[in-house]
Amino acid sequence: MPTKTLQIPTADGQADAFAAFPDGGGRHPGVLMYADGFGIRCVLREMARELAGHGYYVVVPNLFYRHGPAPVIELPEHIGEEVRPAVFAQLMPLIEAHTPERVLSDADAYLRFLTSQPEVGAGPVAVTGYCIGGLLAMRTAAAHPGQVAAVAGFHGPVGADEPGLLSKLTAQVYLGHAETDMTPEALGELNQALDAAGVGYTSEIYPGTVHGFTMSDTDAFNPAALQRHWDRLLPLLGRTLANG
């Protein structure tokens, strides 16, 4: 599986990014993958390679490039509950500094770069994200309705309370929620809002999961839920992206 580290020109400098894509040449549908708040690390590279193996050119940008190249902060090999408070104490200022304006400016740059790569085919792209990355994915899809054909978010906020966000979506939407993040009542309210906005979507709770269930380097990891995530994500991309 070919991989490389890239530098994406943005309005505020250069964002480092990890890319994975199929071997053997040719052009493939593009997927922008937003990491969770812990950023680019081994588990995200593995997930990008897994997705690329199904025929996609996948780019994972360093969300916090303004503060330095990834890893922006030092992370343990396993992010257990005992180290999370100290890790988040370092991460929260970076997350809080990543304003909606910065998110959208970066999204413009990421999509422009992704679609200009010689290995990426013409046509729509998809955006997927984890934890806070799910919110960034939804904002990106809403800001680029003619370009983003599919958006998926896992165990994260979705921006339903942001004025006008849902109504701007033309992408097919998939949302996989952790049981600890979303009550059945809240899920019903979210799905009603998606219905009212005319969005084509699937939005469901993964039973027995906690926030972060896709990430194998955390205590939240749930192998069955990670597989379910692939079982939902891959058909979504296959339906919406050319040559998927």
Side-chain angles (χ1 to χ4, degrees), residues 52-196:
H54 292 276
Y56 301 98
Y57 187 106
V58 184
V59 169
V60 189
N62 171 17
L63 305 180
F64 307 129
Y65 68 89
R66 292 175 180 84
H67 306 274
V72 178
I73 68 166
E74 189 173 342
L75 291 171
E77 195 169 312
H78 183 82
I79 308 168
E81 290 304 315
E82 71 283 357
V83 300
R84 284 176 74 95
V87 170
F88 268 106
Q90 296 179 76
L91 282 174
M92 283 312 297
L94 311 187
I95 293 171
E96 290 167 356
H98 202 52
T99 61
E101 292 75 23
R102 284 184 170 183
V103 171
L104 294 183
S105 174
D106 288 348
D108 290 346
Y110 298 154
L111 290 178
R112 187 164 54 245
F113 182 87
L114 174 62
T115 55
S116 70
Q117 296 310 291
E119 301 92 348
V120 175
V125 301
V127 187
T128 184
Y130 303 90
C131 182
I132 187 67
L135 175 59
L136 306 191
M138 291 287 279
R139 288 175 174 168
T140 299
H144 297 268
Q147 190 171 25
V148 177
V151 58
F154 298 92
H155 51 76
V158 300
D161 56 345
E162 297 185 8
L165 187 146
L166 297 184
S167 63
K168 295 173 185 171
L169 290 168
T170 59
Q172 289 291 309
V173 175
Y174 178 80
L175 301 171
H177 310 284
E179 192 173 66
T180 55
D181 287 343
M182 182 76 70
T183 64
E185 294 75 21
L187 179 70
E189 292 175 7
L190 170 61
N191 292 354
Q192 284 181 356
L194 289 162
D195 285 330

Side-chain angles (χ1 to χ4, degrees), residues 11-78:
D12 292 330
Q14 298 274 330
D16 52 304
F18 176 79
F21 47 96
D23 207 351
R27 302 178 75 190
H28 310 280
V31 179
L32 175 61
M33 179 184 285
Y34 284 118
D36 60 1
F38 298 128
I40 301 174
R41 58 200 191 281
C42 184
V43 64
L44 264 297
R45 295 185 187 97
E46 290 172 1
M47 294 174 82
R49 282 193 289 263
E50 172 76 19
L51 185 52
H54 292 276
Y56 301 98
Y57 187 106
V58 184
V59 169
V60 189
N62 171 17
L63 305 180
F64 307 129
Y65 68 89
R66 292 175 180 84
H67 306 274
V72 178
I73 68 166
E74 189 173 342
L75 291 171
E77 195 169 312
H78 183 82

